[in-house]
Amino acid sequence: MAATVRKSKDTSRPPIVVVLGHIDHGKSTLLDYIRSANSVASEAGGITQRLCAYVVEHRTKDGEIKKITFLDTPGHEAFQKMRLRGAILADIAILVVSAEDGVMPQTLDALTSIRAARIPYLVAINKIDKPGADIERTKAGLVENEIYLEGMGGDVSAVPISAKTGAGVDELLDVLLLAAALAELTGDPTASASGAVIESHLDPRRGAEATLLIKDGTLRQGQYVAAGGVYAPVRLMEDWSGKQIVAASLSEPVSVVGWSEAPAVGLAFSAAENKKAAQA
């Protein structure tokens, strides 16, 4: 009898992106602009972000709608913490540098984290709307610090933007999606869900709650999740905006409540069909 060949069910997966850089170079402003400009507002008329990650839909210059997941970390320290735990969750990084100030020590700290994670990155040269902005001087400073840009001896893309006005942000996301396409990110939506814990806490009303980022497979209501010796039934599952959902798949962040105790950030998680399997 001929051996059965299992066909791969891998499909393209949305990129998971981390934005890093100096605290005053507009990292948070960029994340806020991307979220508000590329998310569908709720019926209440506003966007409520409940998790430390969120999904946006970007219309490319070719008219395609593409999803991107952003990790909204408080800084490169959080990214470093996850890296040290072995949970390299981000697929691509955006290094934000001010066109006014240029490269700063925190910029180089962020770059060290990106290189240690061995993920591709691109540079957003922010604050081009400021009177003291000097894009060419900033590019020269990047090259001096061994960030070799396209057209200047390297292959790192640099996109001038203003996170305040939104100028250049669409181009930045287009370049980001091109980098994602080159990385050939894939996952199997038919597989059992796996990924990592990116946030956890004890809620006074809901008990132990954790945010999971799914790197592969699909997580469904009625299953269990386990991480580092603790587990939870998937009864109440919410997306990044707080909407209750029954399933979540590739590159999606979800909140699950009811853990036996709060799992540590950075732990790998996997889905199980029942409590006995989760405990095992």
Side-chain angles (χ1 to χ4, degrees), residues 88-226:
I88 301 302
L89 291 177
D91 301 305
I92 302 170
I94 297 175
L95 180 63
V96 179
V97 184
S98 166
E100 277 191 308
D101 302 332
V103 176
M104 303 286 279
Q106 276 191 341
T107 312
L108 299 178
D109 289 345
L111 181 65
T112 298
S113 292
I114 292 167
R115 285 176 171 165
R118 297 182 180 178
I119 56 175
Y121 70 99
L122 57 149
V123 176
I125 300 177
N126 191 28
K127 301 192 179 185
I128 61 171
D129 55 301
K130 297 287 188 179
D134 189 329
I135 296 170
E136 294 308 313
R137 183 185 65 204
T138 304
K139 285 183 176 180
L142 290 164
V143 173
E144 285 172 12
N145 284 280
E146 300 182 350
I147 302 171
Y148 298 115
L149 306 178
E150 289 176 342
M152 301 179 75
D155 58 3
V156 178
S157 298
V159 184
I161 67 161
S162 167
K164 185 177 180 180
T165 68
V169 174
D170 280 349
E171 183 188 348
L172 178 71
L173 297 183
D174 283 343
V175 172
L176 176 69
L177 286 167
L178 178 59
L182 292 172
E184 298 181 337
L185 307 172
T186 60
D188 181 358
T190 68
S192 183
S194 61
V197 178
I198 57 173
E199 184 180 48
S200 71
H201 64 279
L202 280 172
D203 185 281
R205 290 186 305 106
R206 293 151 55 113
E209 183 172 357
T211 301
L212 309 177
L213 188 58
I214 301 170
K215 285 295 290 273
D216 197 22
T218 297
L219 184 62
R220 294 180 174 85
Q221 199 173 55
Q223 293 182 313
Y224 277 72
V225 284

Side-chain angles (χ1 to χ4, degrees), residues 72-97:
D72 195 357
T73 66
H76 68 270
E77 295 86 356
F79 180 68
Q80 183 86 346
K81 183 180 177 183
M82 281 193 269
R83 184 182 70 78
L84 291 172
R85 287 184 181 273
I88 301 302
L89 291 177
D91 301 305
I92 302 170
I94 297 175
L95 180 63
V96 179
V97 184

Side-chain angles (χ1 to χ4, degrees), residues 219-271:
L219 184 62
R220 294 180 174 85
Q221 199 173 55
Q223 293 182 313
Y224 277 72
V225 284
V230 298
Y231 63 92
V234 186
R235 294 196 188 103
L236 176 62
M237 180 164 56
E238 297 174 341
D239 69 7
W240 67 272
S241 66
K243 177 184 176 184
Q244 288 192 32
I245 53 177
V246 296
S249 194
L250 306 176
S251 302
E252 292 186 40
V254 293
S255 171
V256 174
V257 301
W259 291 80
S260 50
E261 60 182 86
V265 170
L267 282 175
F269 84 85
S270 56

